[in-house]
Amino acid sequence: MSPAMPPVWANRVESELMDGEQVLAWLETDLSAQLYFVPGFVLVTSKRLLATTEREGVWQGWFYRPGIRLVRHDHLGVGSLELLDENSLLARWRYTLGNDVATGRLIEHFMQQLDYQLTGEPPPAPVLSLCPKCQRVLDAPLSPGQEECAVCSSEAATPPSTWTLFRLWRFAKPYKGRLLAGFLLTLGSTAATMVPPYLTMPLMDNVLIPYQNGKPIDVGLVTFYLTGLLGAALVAWVLGWSRTYLLALVSERIGADLRTATYEHLLKLSQQYFGGKRTGDLMARIGSETDRINVFISVHLLDFATDVLMIVMTAVILVSIQPWLALVTLLPLPVIGWLIHLVRDRLRTGFEKADRVWAEVTNVLADTIPGMRVVKAFAQEKREAARFRKANQHNLEVNDRVNKVWSLFTPTVTLLTEVGLLVVWVFGIWLVSNDEITVGVLTAFLAYISRFYLRLDSMSRIVSFTQKAAAGTKRIFDILDHISSVPEPVTPVHLPVVEGRIELRGVGFRYGTRTVTRDISVTIQPGEMIGLVGHSGSGKSTIVNLICRFYDVTEGAILLDGIDIRSLPVAEYRKNIGLVLQEPFLFFGTIAENIAYGSPNAKREEIIAAARAAHAHEFILRLPHGYDSLVGERGQALSGGERQRISIARALLIDPRILILDEATSSVDTTTEKEIQKALENLVQGRTTIAIAHRLSTLRDATRLIVLDRGSIVEIGNHHELMAREGHYYRLYQAQARNVDTEDDLRGSRLEHKAAGVRQ
């Protein structure tokens, strides 16, 4: 028995095998025919295909014979594996698409064994192997030392590199003149700080030591040296202030450009990208990561440059004064360099993980605060507090591990510099005792060496900030490097006049491993009103998303007036589409600003006209400030029906050639829906209209109805034609009519009961 087989099935399979029968591949199914979660097992052996389910508990077997075959399908996250022969369907198993790889492996082994039975050629030796990390069935075993499959390796986050920081030059290049000026100011201020220790040598040897030996103090000489010290301090202060202010201005501008470029790039990405990202994570990248990069450029990078210049200048001066003493001074450098190399990778990886964990904390806030009404409605305050506490605790643990490494590194560098200073004292005293250097030289040396080790210690501390900035830069460029799945055309085609003829040619769309739609072919004439009908998950909203080019088709093409929409500039194309979503979204601002969102320069008269057409004018005038009333965060100050009517007015204001209504009346009551339908009857004239409606009765006047089922078109026709056919649409309509009748009966019974209670 294969060691990769789950233990829960191993003994049961063993008892069903014939003599000499070997298991080649297996598949765990997890759905019943009614799409309930029911465990099942299908396996290919050297003699037949075996299968069972937990519910039935009976094994079925099919021996290999001519004409038998396995076929798989997938739709909206559900996979189907069918066993067929020339005449009929023998069996069907359903599974979630997490088992799709194992299904492919099962079919491959089935075909190999079938060929063997028919041709007599032995199949290749079977290999069953699982990835220890993700438990995927692999086509080949892992190589020695390999801990995960290629899929897991590609999914793993690439550790950030310090070289990533050089990619910021793209944003720093426009300010290269100011950066050069800042570097020169840094060079000048560092040189000015090197003057005072140098002046201590003559001050000690020519003034203080002769005074101890009985000579009078030369006031003029003292004044000269002290004036030099004061002048050097003033020059260092002026140059230091200038360079700090200049580089702070530059860093803020680089950070602002970085935030703007990242946000603008985000706006260009397709909906598919945002479907896999958390809002809090993206906010953290654009906010905290760019702030961290700002601080690094304005403070720590400046300090690093100062430290490097100080160390180089100090080393040159020390060597010029006394080479052997300078050599002793530089002894800790190799050890400190080795320590920096040792902890750098750990810090870099640790800081990037800390950034991701902090994004988890932000994600909790981004989820909870907008959904506070739901949290309070279901009394889940304690649960959300516990979720935040858990994320915060995880953040604390990750940072504790990073700080553990950092806390050991920094004191070690400090200890090495202190030991180095002690060695300089010992060697310096020995040189003075042998009259090889003067006390003034030793004093200057100690002054320089204290600054040298101070800068060396500072440089080691900057390693932490450098790795934080590198981790943040990588997370920023992860966004900037992402290529939109809805790209702008290389050679765009412009349509001066849009008629509104939409043609779908063999359109298919897959979302990851899920097939959502397949082979959709239909032509919508200018001014025609089309209704999309079907069960939930049949592909209605997907077609709307493809027409709006929120996603690009994976098969076939969509044409506007005979031109592939992928050849049209994205913004230019979408300006011709008015979209009303099922869940209306309003921005924080006034009602007038929300209605004019698609046309910011619209006049107040045009805004009011659009509101009137959407039957929103009356309720807007009842608000305290009318059209200048604030709608609140996401429109929470308004009811669902009011938000929907404002979104309809927003779509109508741009006067689109194509109008898309995705459950546009789902959030309004019956009376309001009738008013909006009357308005829409006039508004759709001359526009190509595509409507999705939950209540099929609202689509009775559509020119054509397109009935979808499992991502394919099953019927096309108007309401009366489809009702006469008594097909999919007929059954949908009748089922909905029965539900409406039942609701009406219940409503009438409640009213009668209430009236009887009043009479009593």
Side-chain angles (χ1 to χ4, degrees):
M1 189 65 57
S2 169
M5 185 176 294
V8 68
W9 293 104
N11 294 331
R12 298 176 59 180
V13 171
E14 185 73 34
S15 62
E16 294 294 325
L17 295 179
M18 302 177 178
D19 293 339
E21 189 174 13
Q22 296 180 348
V23 175
L24 304 179
W26 50 264
L27 165 68
E28 283 188 286
T29 60
D30 48 9
L31 295 174
S32 67
Q34 295 76 29
L35 301 184
Y36 293 108
F37 283 98
V38 176
F41 207 66
V42 183
L43 64 152
V44 170
T45 73
S46 55
K47 297 183 178 181
R48 54 182 172 159
L49 181 74
L50 279 173
T52 187
T53 62
E54 189 70 42
R55 178 177 293 176
E56 298 172 354
V58 178
W59 287 90
Q60 291 181 288
W62 297 268
F63 289 95
Y64 301 114
R65 65 176 189 270
I68 196 171
R69 66 187 189 278
L70 278 177
V71 179
R72 63 173 169 177
H73 308 282
D74 66 84
H75 178 68
L76 291 175
V78 176
S80 297
L81 180 65
E82 297 177 349
L83 180 65
L84 306 165
D85 62 10
E86 301 94 331
N87 303 316
S88 61
L89 173 68
L90 302 178
R92 177 188 287 125
W93 302 276
R94 298 188 186 276
Y95 56 91
T96 55
L97 289 186
N99 299 315
D100 197 51
V101 176
T103 306
R105 178 115 183 123
L106 185 87
I107 294 174
E108 179 184 356
H109 279 267
F110 178 85
M111 294 175 63
Q112 289 176 355
Q113 288 301 313
L114 186 62
D115 289 341
Y116 173 61
Q117 297 293 333
L118 298 178
T119 64
E121 295 182 4
V127 179
L128 269 177
S129 179
L130 286 181
C131 171
K133 183 175 181 180
C134 67
Q135 297 300 304
R136 288 183 175 92
V137 181
L138 305 178
D139 293 332
L142 297 176
S143 58
Q146 188 178 359
E147 298 180 355
E148 59 189 21
C149 64
V151 177
C152 292
S153 300
S154 64
E155 291 174 353
T158 305
S161 170
T162 308
W163 295 103
T164 306
L165 292 171
F166 287 97
R167 299 189 66 184
L168 293 174
W169 175 247
R170 161 184 165 187
F171 298 94
K173 190 175 181 179
Y175 309 100
K176 57 185 178 182
R178 299 184 189 181
L179 290 172
L180 178 60
F183 175 76
L184 294 176
L185 288 171
T186 302
L187 184 63
S189 63
T190 304
T193 58
M194 303 299 293
V195 173
Y198 200 85
L199 293 178
T200 58
M201 287 190 297
L203 194 60
M204 291 288 294
D205 293 338
N206 300 334
V207 177
L208 296 180
I209 293 178
Y211 174 74
Q212 287 184 334
N213 294 331
K215 293 184 178 180
I217 292 179
D218 187 342
V219 177
L221 193 59
V222 170
T223 303
F224 174 76
Y225 289 142
L226 294 182
T227 301
L229 291 173
L230 178 61
L234 290 175
V235 170
W237 176 80
V238 171
L239 295 178
W241 173 83
S242 300
R243 64 95 191 252
T244 303
Y245 179 70
L246 179 63
L247 292 180
L249 292 179
V250 172
S251 68
E252 287 296 334
R253 280 151 181 78
I254 292 175
D257 293 344
L258 187 60
R259 280 190 294 269
T260 301
T262 306
Y263 182 67
E264 289 179 349
H265 188 74
L266 271 178
L267 294 177
K268 296 176 183 178
L269 297 179
S270 68
Q271 285 293 112
Q272 189 170 359
Y273 177 82
F274 294 98
K277 297 296 180 183
R278 300 287 298 273
T279 302
D281 178 61
L282 296 177
M283 292 172 61
R285 295 193 196 196
I286 297 177
S288 59
E289 301 298 355
T290 52
D291 285 342
R292 179 178 296 172
I293 293 170
N294 272 0
V295 173
F296 172 74
I297 294 174
S298 62
V299 179
H300 305 302
L301 184 60
L302 182 63
D303 289 342
F304 179 78
T306 304
D307 293 341
V308 171
L309 289 173
M310 180 72 77
I311 289 174
V312 172
M313 291 182 179
T314 303
V316 171
I317 293 174
L318 292 179
V319 170
S320 66
I321 295 174
Q322 223 298 327
W324 289 108
L325 193 55
L327 182 62
V328 172
T329 302
L330 301 176
L331 281 178
L333 272 179
V335 182
I336 294 175
W338 175 78
L339 283 175
I340 291 175
H341 175 73
L342 186 67
V343 304
R344 183 184 57 188
D345 292 337
R346 294 185 181 180
L347 289 176
R348 186 167 56 236
T349 304
F351 285 134
E352 195 209 6
K353 188 173 183 180
D355 290 341
R356 293 199 304 268
V357 172
W358 175 248
E360 293 178 9
V361 178
T362 313
N363 284 331
V364 175
L365 295 175
D367 288 344
T368 307
I369 293 176
M372 192 59 69
R373 178 180 295 182
V374 178
V375 173
K376 292 184 177 296
F378 289 90
Q380 294 299 306
E381 291 90 345
K382 291 184 178 179
R383 176 187 175 186
E384 293 301 332
R387 193 158 73 103
F388 183 83
R389 191 180 301 111
K390 180 180 179 181
N392 205 21
Q393 181 64 29
H394 190 197
N395 176 65
L396 184 64
E397 292 171 357
V398 170
N399 280 282
D400 282 346
R401 288 196 291 269
V402 177
N403 291 330
K404 182 179 180 181
V405 176
W406 179 242
S407 61
L408 178 64
F409 170 69
T410 305
T412 303
V413 174
T414 303
L415 175 64
L416 288 173
T417 57
E418 293 294 335
V419 171
L421 185 61
L422 179 62
V423 172
V424 171
W425 266 108
V426 172
F427 192 62
I429 292 173
W430 181 79
L431 291 175
V432 171
S433 65
N434 288 290
D435 295 327
E436 294 190 19
I437 61 172
T438 63
V439 175
V441 171
L442 179 59
T443 304
F445 232 94
L446 292 173
Y448 277 121
I449 204 63
S450 61
R451 296 191 179 199
F452 180 84
Y453 284 148
L454 180 65
R455 291 299 179 179
L456 203 58
D457 185 59
S458 174
M459 277 190 67
S460 66
R461 296 174 188 273
I462 289 175
V463 172
S464 167
F465 302 111
T466 303
Q467 302 316 311
K468 286 182 179 180
T473 303
K474 176 186 176 294
R475 283 167 54 79
I476 289 290
F477 278 96
D478 282 344
I479 296 176
L480 293 174
D481 291 341
H482 192 88
I483 300 174
S484 175
S485 60
V486 182
E488 290 283 352
V490 179
T491 55
V493 178
H494 301 279
L495 287 176
V497 178
V498 175
E499 296 179 1
R501 183 176 183 270
I502 300 174
E503 183 180 357
L504 284 74
R505 292 183 181 174
V507 167
F509 179 70
R510 294 180 65 88
Y511 191 87
T513 58
R514 296 185 296 130
T515 298
V516 183
T517 62
R518 60 173 68 87
D519 196 25
I520 302 290
S521 296
V522 66
T523 300
I524 305 172
Q525 299 298 334
E528 189 176 14
M529 180 176 179
I530 295 294
L532 298 180
V533 178
H535 291 290
S536 296
S538 59
K540 303 185 299 295
S541 295
T542 299
I543 291 177
V544 167
N545 289 332
L546 293 174
I547 291 175
C548 293
R549 214 187 164 202
F550 294 149
Y551 304 91
D552 268 346
V553 298
T554 52
E555 297 174 5
I558 298 177
L559 288 76
L560 175 63
D561 296 341
I563 304 298
D564 193 321
I565 62 173
R566 289 171 291 191
S567 300
L568 302 173
V570 177
E572 183 178 314
Y573 168 68
R574 289 180 183 155
K575 284 181 180 179
N576 297 289
I577 299 176
L579 178 64
V580 180
L581 298 172
Q582 180 179 359
E583 298 178 2
F585 184 93
L586 301 183
F587 296 92
F588 186 87
T590 66
I591 289 178
E593 290 170 346
N594 273 277
I595 294 177
Y597 184 77
S599 181
N601 298 321
K603 298 178 181 178
R604 181 57 63 98
E605 294 79 8
E606 297 171 332
I607 294 173
I608 294 174
R612 284 183 182 276
H615 286 237
H617 181 67
E618 290 75 12
F619 86 79
I620 293 174
L621 292 182
R622 290 195 295 268
L623 296 175
H625 302 288
Y627 283 85
D628 295 320
S629 300
L630 293 174
V631 300
E633 184 75 18
R634 301 192 180 190
Q636 295 300 317
L638 304 176
S639 68
E642 291 170 342
R643 291 197 299 271
Q644 188 63 283
R645 279 179 278 178
I646 289 177
S647 70
I648 293 173
R650 178 171 59 192
L652 297 173
L653 182 61
I654 64 175
D655 191 23
R657 297 301 304 157
I658 301 170
L659 186 64
I660 295 179
L661 308 174
D662 188 356
E663 300 279 7
T665 59
S666 62
S667 300
V668 298
D669 54 67
T670 305
T671 303
T672 305
E673 180 186 8
K674 290 180 179 179
E675 294 178 356
I676 294 176
Q677 287 296 335
K678 291 179 181 179
L680 290 176
E681 288 176 4
N682 297 323
L683 293 169
V684 298
Q685 298 298 325
R687 290 189 176 91
T688 303
T689 305
I690 301 172
I692 301 174
H694 175 69
R695 289 186 282 271
L696 299 180
S697 58
T698 62
L699 297 176
R700 294 185 62 173
D701 296 330
T703 310
R704 283 185 297 165
L705 298 175
I706 298 175
V707 186
L708 298 166
D709 184 50
R710 296 188 178 183
S712 299
I713 296 178
V714 292
E715 288 181 326
I716 297 180
N718 60 38
H719 170 75
H720 300 290
E721 293 172 348
L722 295 178
M723 290 296 290
R725 294 179 191 172
E726 298 187 2
H728 282 75
Y729 179 79
Y730 175 82
R731 290 190 291 272
L732 283 171
Y733 193 88
Q734 292 297 323
Q736 194 173 98
R738 284 193 295 271
N739 290 337
V740 172
D741 292 342
T742 303
E743 291 174 2
D744 290 341
D745 292 342
L746 291 174
R747 189 181 300 109
S749 299
R750 286 195 295 267
L751 291 174
E752 291 178 4
H753 180 74
K754 184 176 181 180
V758 171
R759 286 194 298 269
Q760 293 175 359

